Each structure stands twice: as structure tokens, then as C-alpha cells.
Amino acid sequence: MGIRLGDIAPDFEAQTTKGPIKFHEWIGNSWAILFSHPGDFTPVCTTELAEVARRAPDFEKRGVKLIGISANGLEDHHKWVEDINEWGSTSVQYPIIADADRKISTLYDMLDEQDPTNRDAKGLPFTIRTVFIIDPKKVIRLTLSYPASTGRNFDEIIRVVDSLQIGDKYRVTTPVNWKKGDDVIVHPTVSNEEAKTLFPEFKIHKPYLRTTPLKVE
């Protein structure tokens, strides 16, 4: 059975470009994003890793740690990071997990078993390009899987982090295409009487749909 939302993220030990880690210990009390790549020296993933390095301050101010994983060894990872930094004019500071034996990819159900072309020279399946958002309690809060041909949208991933963090703090949910600063939806568990105190400017559109402005940093 694959990993589902609400599951505890499986713990593991791994070698990374920043040294050995124990995953839960590495997360600590932070949020974390684990994102996988089919292999090193791949064009789409090179652009993604550069973008994540460029956006690192946006994740840091949200208390989010970043960690990549790719189905190669550390020697290849270090060479690839040099390419990424050169191409993206950036500096990759987050760790990348070495997973040449696919143990962690198997643990997280990230192997592409369906596409016969997505395999290495030894015939081992590459990882599906997946994103996991994990909260400080080590709970899986989001999973996204992308086809090999499509680069990930990290604006959307940051948007989801904002939504999850705001929802946890303020008893709200977020509507379609929501961005930080937009009106939010009052959580269904909040009564109208509570809402008058919590959200003095809330509006009732339908008995089940109430919105309110929410000022957040």
C-alpha cells in the first residue's frame, strides 16, 4: 500500500551530499519537503534543483527544510550539483540523498513500475518525480507526482505550504486559486457564534460557505 495523506512519513537513514542523516531527526521541529528525481544529469530536474536553490529563502522564512533524492550515488550527485550551480547561477545548499539501490524510493513508493522506458542501464526503475510536504509532527500533508516531461511548479508548492500553515493556526481553509493575503474560508467546525469573535468581518454566502479576510505575515 502506498503512502497516504495523514500517514507518518517513514523514517530512514541515508547518505546525502551534506553528510549522513536520520530523516526524522533531520526534520526536527520544522516542516520539510522531500522531492525526488529519476536520475542525475537529467534536464528537467536540473532546472528544478536550480529553482529550489534560488527559492531557498522563501522556504526558510516558512520554517521549511528542503531535501532532494535521486537514484544515483554521491559522486554523481556532487558532479551534478556543480552543473546545477553553473547553469542556474545559484548555490545548492540543501542535501540530496543518494539512493542508487532505490531503498528509500521503495519505502516511499516512488518507483515507476509502469513505464518500461523509465529505467537505468541495469534495468532498475527510476523514481517517479514526487513531492512530499511533511509537517513538524512528521505527518504527510501533501503528495504530488509529476510526469518526467513536466517541470514542477514551486510557486504552487509554496502556496500549499502557506495554506497548510495558515489552516493549522487559524481554523480556516483556502478556496480555489487562493494566494496569501486573499480571503479565506471559515472552517466548517467553527459555528457562526464563534466566527463573530474569531473573524468579525466574516460573510455568509451559503450556510456551508463563509469567507473572511485574514491578515497574515
Side-chain angles (χ1 to χ4, degrees):
M1 183 181 293
I3 291 177
R4 298 185 178 184
L5 300 185
D7 286 349
I8 297 297
D11 198 11
F12 58 83
E13 296 184 21
Q15 296 295 321
T16 82
T17 51
K18 298 297 183 180
I21 65 162
K22 295 180 179 179
F23 190 49
H24 282 194
E25 185 179 292
W26 175 81
I27 294 173
N29 294 319
S30 300
W31 289 70
I33 291 178
L34 169 65
F35 58 110
S36 65
H37 301 274
D40 294 1
F41 310 107
T42 50
V44 174
C45 293
T46 297
T47 66
E48 292 179 326
L49 287 162
E51 174 67 4
V52 172
R54 186 180 71 83
R55 301 294 297 273
D58 294 328
F59 289 102
E60 184 177 0
K61 72 182 183 182
R62 290 166 170 82
V64 179
K65 291 183 175 179
L66 301 162
I67 189 164
I69 180 171
S70 186
N72 292 73
L74 284 180
E75 184 177 352
D76 280 347
H77 280 4
H78 286 297
K79 291 178 181 177
W80 190 27
V81 167
E82 291 178 6
D83 284 358
I84 294 161
N85 289 338
E86 179 185 356
W87 181 86
S89 299
T90 187
S91 178
V92 173
Q93 295 298 319
Y94 53 85
I96 302 174
I97 296 166
D99 193 37
D101 58 9
R102 314 297 200 269
K103 285 185 178 179
I104 298 166
S105 298
T106 300
L107 182 65
Y108 274 74
D109 194 28
M110 293 189 288
L111 292 182
D112 190 346
E113 301 287 1
Q114 302 301 318
D115 183 354
T117 67
N118 197 25
R119 294 176 181 269
D120 68 10
K122 297 179 181 179
L124 293 173
F126 283 123
T127 51
I128 297 170
R129 294 169 58 253
T130 308
V131 179
F132 297 92
I133 296 179
I134 302 165
D135 71 17
K137 296 179 180 179
K138 316 303 184 289
V139 174
I140 301 284
R141 301 294 296 274
L142 171 133
T143 65
L144 281 173
S145 294
Y146 285 73
S149 60
T150 306
R152 283 168 269 212
N153 185 329
F154 283 92
D155 288 332
E156 169 64 6
I157 293 167
I158 288 174
R159 190 187 79 92
V160 175
V161 170
D162 285 340
S163 173
L164 291 170
Q165 292 182 343
I166 288 169
D168 285 356
K169 186 174 182 179
Y170 294 104
R171 298 177 72 189
V172 298
T173 59
T174 55
V176 62
N177 296 332
W178 173 87
K179 293 180 180 178
K180 204 168 187 178
D182 293 348
D183 286 1
V184 297
I185 296 172
V186 178
H187 197 279
T189 60
V190 177
S191 69
N192 286 339
E193 286 303 311
E194 285 182 290
K196 290 176 183 178
T197 300
L198 295 173
F199 312 109
E201 300 178 68
F202 86 102
K203 295 180 181 178
I204 301 174
H205 305 278
K206 297 289 183 181
Y208 54 84
L209 177 56
R210 301 163 297 169
T211 60
T212 182
L214 185 67
K215 295 180 180 180
V216 293
E217 295 183 0

Coordinates of all heavy atoms in Angstrom, one line a residue, residues 48-104:
E48 N 14.8 22.3 -12.0 CA 14.1 22.3 -10.8 C 15.0 22.5 -9.6 O 14.7 23.3 -8.7 CB 13.3 21.0 -10.6 CG 12.2 20.8 -11.6 CD 11.5 19.4 -11.4 OE1 12.2 18.5 -11.0 OE2 10.3 19.4 -11.6
L49 N 16.1 21.8 -9.6 CA 17.0 21.9 -8.4 C 17.6 23.3 -8.3 O 17.8 23.9 -7.2 CB 18.1 20.9 -8.5 CG 17.7 19.4 -8.2 CD1 18.7 18.4 -8.8 CD2 17.5 19.2 -6.7
A50 N 17.9 23.9 -9.5 CA 18.3 25.3 -9.5 C 17.3 26.2 -9.0 O 17.6 27.2 -8.2 CB 18.8 25.7 -10.9
E51 N 16.0 26.0 -9.4 CA 15.0 26.9 -8.9 C 14.8 26.7 -7.4 O 14.5 27.7 -6.7 CB 13.6 26.5 -9.6 CG 12.4 27.2 -9.1 CD 12.4 28.7 -9.4 OE1 13.4 29.3 -10.0 OE2 11.5 29.4 -8.9
V52 N 14.8 25.5 -6.9 CA 14.7 25.3 -5.4 C 15.8 26.0 -4.7 O 15.6 26.7 -3.6 CB 14.7 23.8 -5.1 CG1 14.7 23.6 -3.6 CG2 13.4 23.2 -5.7
A53 N 17.0 26.0 -5.2 CA 18.1 26.7 -4.6 C 17.9 28.2 -4.6 O 18.1 28.9 -3.6 CB 19.4 26.4 -5.3
R54 N 17.3 28.7 -5.7 CA 17.0 30.1 -5.8 C 16.0 30.6 -4.9 O 16.0 31.6 -4.3 CB 16.6 30.5 -7.3 CG 16.4 31.9 -7.5 CD 16.0 32.2 -9.0 NE 14.7 31.8 -9.2 CZ 13.6 32.5 -9.0 NH1 13.7 33.7 -8.4 NH2 12.4 32.0 -9.2
R55 N 15.0 29.7 -4.6 CA 13.8 30.0 -3.8 C 14.1 29.6 -2.3 O 13.2 29.7 -1.5 CB 12.6 29.3 -4.3 CG 12.2 29.6 -5.7 CD 11.7 31.1 -5.9 NE 10.6 31.4 -5.1 CZ 9.3 31.2 -5.5 NH1 9.1 30.7 -6.7 NH2 8.3 31.5 -4.8
A56 N 15.2 29.1 -2.0 CA 15.5 28.6 -0.6 C 15.1 29.6 0.5 O 14.6 29.2 1.5 CB 17.0 28.2 -0.5
P57 N 15.4 30.9 0.3 CA 15.0 31.9 1.3 C 13.4 31.9 1.5 O 13.0 32.1 2.7 CB 15.5 33.2 0.8 CG 16.6 32.9 -0.1 CD 16.2 31.6 -0.8
D58 N 12.7 31.7 0.5 CA 11.2 31.6 0.6 C 10.8 30.5 1.5 O 9.8 30.6 2.3 CB 10.5 31.5 -0.7 CG 10.7 32.7 -1.6 OD1 10.8 33.9 -1.0 OD2 10.8 32.6 -2.8
F59 N 11.4 29.3 1.4 CA 11.1 28.2 2.2 C 11.6 28.4 3.6 O 11.0 28.0 4.6 CB 11.7 26.9 1.6 CG 11.0 26.5 0.3 CD1 11.6 26.7 -0.9 CD2 9.8 25.8 0.4 CE1 10.9 26.3 -2.1 CE2 9.1 25.4 -0.8 CZ 9.7 25.7 -2.0
E60 N 12.8 29.0 3.7 CA 13.4 29.2 5.1 C 12.5 30.0 5.9 O 12.4 29.8 7.1 CB 14.8 29.8 4.9 CG 15.5 29.9 6.2 CD 17.0 30.4 6.1 OE1 17.4 30.7 4.9 OE2 17.6 30.6 7.1
K61 N 12.0 31.1 5.4 CA 11.2 32.0 6.2 C 9.8 31.4 6.6 O 9.2 31.9 7.5 CB 10.9 33.3 5.5 CG 10.0 33.3 4.3 CD 9.9 34.7 3.7 CE 9.0 34.8 2.5 NZ 8.9 36.1 1.9
R62 N 9.5 30.3 6.0 CA 8.3 29.5 6.4 C 8.6 28.3 7.3 O 7.8 27.5 7.6 CB 7.6 29.0 5.1 CG 6.9 30.1 4.3 CD 6.5 29.7 2.9 NE 5.7 30.7 2.2 CZ 6.2 31.7 1.6 NH1 7.5 32.0 1.5 NH2 5.4 32.6 1.0
G63 N 9.9 28.2 7.6 CA 10.3 27.1 8.5 C 10.3 25.8 7.8 O 10.1 24.7 8.5
V64 N 10.6 25.8 6.5 CA 10.6 24.5 5.7 C 12.0 24.1 5.4 O 12.8 24.9 4.8 CB 9.8 24.7 4.5 CG1 9.8 23.4 3.6 CG2 8.3 25.1 4.8
K65 N 12.4 22.9 5.7 CA 13.7 22.3 5.2 C 13.5 21.6 3.9 O 12.4 21.0 3.7 CB 14.2 21.4 6.3 CG 14.7 22.0 7.6 CD 15.3 21.0 8.5 CE 15.9 21.6 9.8 NZ 16.5 20.6 10.7
L66 N 14.5 21.6 3.1 CA 14.4 21.1 1.7 C 15.4 19.9 1.6 O 16.5 20.0 2.1 CB 14.8 22.1 0.7 CG 13.9 23.3 0.6 CD1 14.6 24.5 -0.1 CD2 12.5 23.0 0.0
I67 N 15.0 18.8 1.0 CA 15.9 17.7 0.7 C 15.4 17.0 -0.6 O 14.3 16.7 -0.7 CB 15.9 16.7 1.9 CG1 17.0 15.7 1.8 CG2 14.6 16.1 2.2 CD1 17.4 15.0 3.0
G68 N 16.4 16.8 -1.5 CA 16.1 16.1 -2.7 C 16.6 14.6 -2.6 O 17.3 14.3 -1.6
I69 N 16.1 13.8 -3.5 CA 16.6 12.4 -3.6 C 16.7 12.0 -5.0 O 15.8 12.4 -5.9 CB 15.6 11.5 -2.8 CG1 16.1 10.0 -2.9 CG2 14.2 11.6 -3.3 CD1 15.4 9.1 -2.0
S70 N 17.7 11.3 -5.4 CA 17.9 10.9 -6.8 C 18.6 9.5 -6.8 O 19.4 9.2 -5.9 CB 18.7 11.9 -7.6 OG 18.8 11.6 -9.0
A71 N 18.3 8.8 -7.8 CA 18.7 7.4 -7.9 C 20.1 7.2 -8.4 O 20.4 6.5 -9.3 CB 17.7 6.6 -8.7
N72 N 21.1 7.9 -7.8 CA 22.5 7.8 -8.1 C 23.3 7.9 -6.8 O 22.7 8.2 -5.8 CB 22.9 9.0 -9.0 CG 22.3 8.9 -10.4 OD1 21.2 9.2 -10.6 ND2 23.2 8.6 -11.4
G73 N 24.6 7.7 -6.9 CA 25.5 7.8 -5.8 C 26.0 9.2 -5.5 O 25.7 10.1 -6.3
L74 N 26.7 9.3 -4.4 CA 27.1 10.6 -4.0 C 28.1 11.3 -5.0 O 28.1 12.5 -5.2 CB 27.8 10.6 -2.6 CG 26.9 10.4 -1.4 CD1 27.7 10.4 -0.1 CD2 25.9 11.6 -1.4
E75 N 29.0 10.5 -5.6 CA 29.9 11.0 -6.6 C 29.2 11.7 -7.7 O 29.6 12.9 -8.1 CB 30.9 9.9 -7.1 CG 32.0 10.4 -8.0 CD 32.9 9.4 -8.5 OE1 32.8 8.2 -8.0 OE2 33.8 9.7 -9.3
D76 N 28.2 11.1 -8.3 CA 27.4 11.7 -9.3 C 26.7 12.9 -8.8 O 26.6 13.9 -9.5 CB 26.4 10.7 -9.9 CG 27.1 9.7 -10.9 OD1 28.2 10.0 -11.3 OD2 26.4 8.7 -11.2
H77 N 26.1 12.8 -7.6 CA 25.4 14.0 -7.0 C 26.3 15.2 -7.0 O 25.9 16.3 -7.4 CB 24.9 13.6 -5.6 CG 23.7 12.8 -5.6 ND1 23.1 12.2 -6.7 CD2 22.9 12.3 -4.5 CE1 22.0 11.5 -6.3 NE2 21.9 11.6 -5.0
H78 N 27.5 15.0 -6.5 CA 28.4 16.2 -6.3 C 28.7 16.8 -7.7 O 28.8 18.0 -7.8 CB 29.6 15.8 -5.6 CG 29.4 15.6 -4.1 ND1 29.0 16.6 -3.2 CD2 29.6 14.5 -3.3 CE1 28.9 16.1 -2.0 NE2 29.3 14.9 -2.0
K79 N 28.9 16.0 -8.7 CA 29.2 16.5 -10.0 C 28.0 17.2 -10.6 O 28.1 18.2 -11.3 CB 29.6 15.3 -10.9 CG 31.0 14.7 -10.6 CD 31.3 13.5 -11.5 CE 32.7 12.9 -11.2 NZ 33.0 11.7 -12.0
W80 N 26.8 16.6 -10.3 CA 25.6 17.2 -10.8 C 25.3 18.6 -10.2 O 24.9 19.5 -10.9 CB 24.4 16.3 -10.6 CG 23.1 16.6 -11.3 CD1 23.0 17.3 -12.4 CD2 21.8 16.3 -10.8 NE1 21.6 17.5 -12.7 CE2 20.9 16.8 -11.7 CE3 21.3 15.6 -9.7 CZ2 19.5 16.7 -11.6 CZ3 19.9 15.4 -9.6 CH2 19.1 15.9 -10.6
V81 N 25.6 18.7 -8.9 CA 25.4 19.9 -8.2 C 26.3 21.0 -8.9 O 25.8 22.2 -9.0 CB 25.7 19.8 -6.7 CG1 25.9 21.2 -6.0 CG2 24.6 19.0 -6.0
E82 N 27.5 20.7 -9.3 CA 28.3 21.7 -10.0 C 27.6 22.1 -11.2 O 27.7 23.3 -11.6 CB 29.7 21.0 -10.3 CG 30.5 20.7 -9.1 CD 31.9 20.1 -9.5 OE1 32.1 19.9 -10.7 OE2 32.6 19.7 -8.5
D83 N 27.0 21.2 -12.0 CA 26.3 21.6 -13.2 C 25.1 22.5 -12.9 O 24.9 23.5 -13.6 CB 25.8 20.4 -13.9 CG 26.9 19.6 -14.7 OD1 28.1 20.1 -14.7 OD2 26.6 18.6 -15.3
I84 N 24.4 22.1 -11.9 CA 23.2 22.9 -11.5 C 23.6 24.3 -11.1 O 23.0 25.3 -11.5 CB 22.5 22.2 -10.3 CG1 21.9 20.8 -10.7 CG2 21.4 23.1 -9.7 CD1 21.6 19.9 -9.6
N85 N 24.6 24.4 -10.3 CA 25.1 25.8 -9.9 C 25.5 26.6 -11.0 O 25.3 27.8 -11.1 CB 26.2 25.6 -8.8 CG 25.7 25.1 -7.5 OD1 24.5 25.2 -7.2 ND2 26.6 24.6 -6.7
E86 N 26.2 26.0 -12.0 CA 26.7 26.7 -13.2 C 25.6 27.1 -14.0 O 25.5 28.3 -14.4 CB 27.7 25.8 -14.0 CG 28.2 26.5 -15.2 CD 29.1 25.5 -16.1 OE1 29.3 24.4 -15.6 OE2 29.5 26.0 -17.2
W87 N 24.6 26.2 -14.3 CA 23.5 26.5 -15.2 C 22.6 27.6 -14.6 O 22.2 28.5 -15.2 CB 22.7 25.3 -15.5 CG 21.6 25.6 -16.4 CD1 21.6 25.7 -17.8 CD2 20.2 25.9 -16.1 NE1 20.4 26.0 -18.3 CE2 19.5 26.2 -17.2 CE3 19.6 26.0 -14.8 CZ2 18.2 26.6 -17.2 CZ3 18.2 26.4 -14.8 CH2 17.5 26.7 -16.0
G88 N 22.3 27.4 -13.3 CA 21.3 28.3 -12.6 C 21.9 29.5 -12.0 O 21.2 30.3 -11.4
S89 N 23.2 29.7 -12.0 CA 23.9 30.8 -11.4 C 23.4 30.9 -9.9 O 23.1 31.9 -9.4 CB 23.6 32.1 -12.1 OG 24.1 32.1 -13.4
T90 N 23.5 29.7 -9.2 CA 23.0 29.7 -7.9 C 23.9 28.8 -7.1 O 25.0 28.4 -7.5 CB 21.5 29.1 -7.8 OG1 21.0 29.2 -6.5 CG2 21.4 27.7 -8.3
S91 N 23.5 28.4 -5.9 CA 24.3 27.6 -5.0 C 23.4 26.6 -4.2 O 22.6 27.1 -3.4 CB 25.1 28.4 -4.0 OG 25.9 27.6 -3.1
V92 N 23.4 25.4 -4.6 CA 22.6 24.4 -3.9 C 23.2 24.1 -2.5 O 24.3 23.5 -2.4 CB 22.6 23.1 -4.8 CG1 21.8 22.0 -4.0 CG2 21.9 23.3 -6.1
Q93 N 22.4 24.4 -1.5 CA 22.9 24.3 -0.1 C 22.1 23.2 0.6 O 22.5 22.7 1.7 CB 22.7 25.6 0.6 CG 23.6 26.7 0.1 CD 25.1 26.3 0.3 OE1 25.5 25.8 1.3 NE2 25.9 26.7 -0.7
Y94 N 21.0 22.7 0.0 CA 20.2 21.7 0.7 C 20.8 20.3 0.3 O 21.4 20.2 -0.7 CB 18.7 21.8 0.3 CG 18.5 21.8 -1.2 CD1 18.4 20.6 -1.9 CD2 18.4 23.0 -1.9 CE1 18.2 20.6 -3.3 CE2 18.2 23.0 -3.3 CZ 18.1 21.8 -4.0 OH 17.9 21.9 -5.3
P95 N 20.5 19.3 1.1 CA 21.1 18.0 0.9 C 20.3 17.2 -0.2 O 19.1 17.5 -0.4 CB 20.9 17.2 2.2 CG 19.8 17.9 2.9 CD 19.9 19.4 2.5
I96 N 21.0 16.4 -0.9 CA 20.5 15.5 -1.9 C 20.8 14.0 -1.5 O 22.0 13.7 -1.3 CB 20.9 15.7 -3.3 CG1 20.6 17.2 -3.7 CG2 20.3 14.8 -4.3 CD1 21.2 17.6 -5.1
I97 N 19.8 13.2 -1.3 CA 20.0 11.8 -0.8 C 20.5 11.0 -2.0 O 20.0 11.0 -3.1 CB 18.7 11.3 -0.3 CG1 18.2 12.1 0.9 CG2 18.8 9.8 0.0 CD1 16.8 11.8 1.3
A98 N 21.5 10.1 -1.6 CA 22.0 9.1 -2.6 C 21.1 7.9 -2.4 O 21.0 7.3 -1.3 CB 23.5 8.8 -2.3
D99 N 20.5 7.4 -3.5 CA 19.6 6.3 -3.4 C 19.7 5.4 -4.6 O 18.8 5.0 -5.3 CB 18.1 6.8 -3.3 CG 17.1 5.7 -2.9 OD1 17.5 4.9 -2.1 OD2 16.0 5.7 -3.5
A100 N 21.0 5.0 -4.9 CA 21.3 4.2 -6.0 C 20.6 2.8 -5.9 O 20.3 2.2 -7.0 CB 22.8 4.0 -6.2
D101 N 20.4 2.3 -4.7 CA 19.8 1.0 -4.6 C 18.3 1.1 -4.5 O 17.6 0.0 -4.3 CB 20.4 0.3 -3.3 CG 20.2 1.0 -2.0 OD1 19.5 2.1 -2.0 OD2 20.8 0.6 -1.0
R102 N 17.8 2.3 -4.5 CA 16.3 2.5 -4.5 C 15.6 2.1 -3.2 O 14.4 2.0 -3.2 CB 15.6 1.8 -5.7 CG 16.2 1.8 -7.0 CD 16.3 3.2 -7.6 NE 16.4 3.2 -9.1 CZ 17.6 3.2 -9.7 NH1 18.7 3.3 -9.0 NH2 17.7 3.2 -11.0
K103 N 16.3 2.0 -2.1 CA 15.7 1.5 -0.9 C 14.7 2.6 -0.4 O 13.6 2.3 0.1 CB 16.8 1.3 0.2 CG 17.5 0.0 0.0 CD 18.5 -0.3 1.1 CE 19.2 -1.6 0.9 NZ 20.2 -1.9 2.0
I104 N 15.1 3.9 -0.4 CA 14.2 4.9 0.1 C 13.1 5.2 -0.9 O 12.0 5.4 -0.5 CB 15.1 6.2 0.4 CG1 16.1 5.9 1.5 CG2 14.1 7.3 0.8 CD1 17.1 7.0 1.6

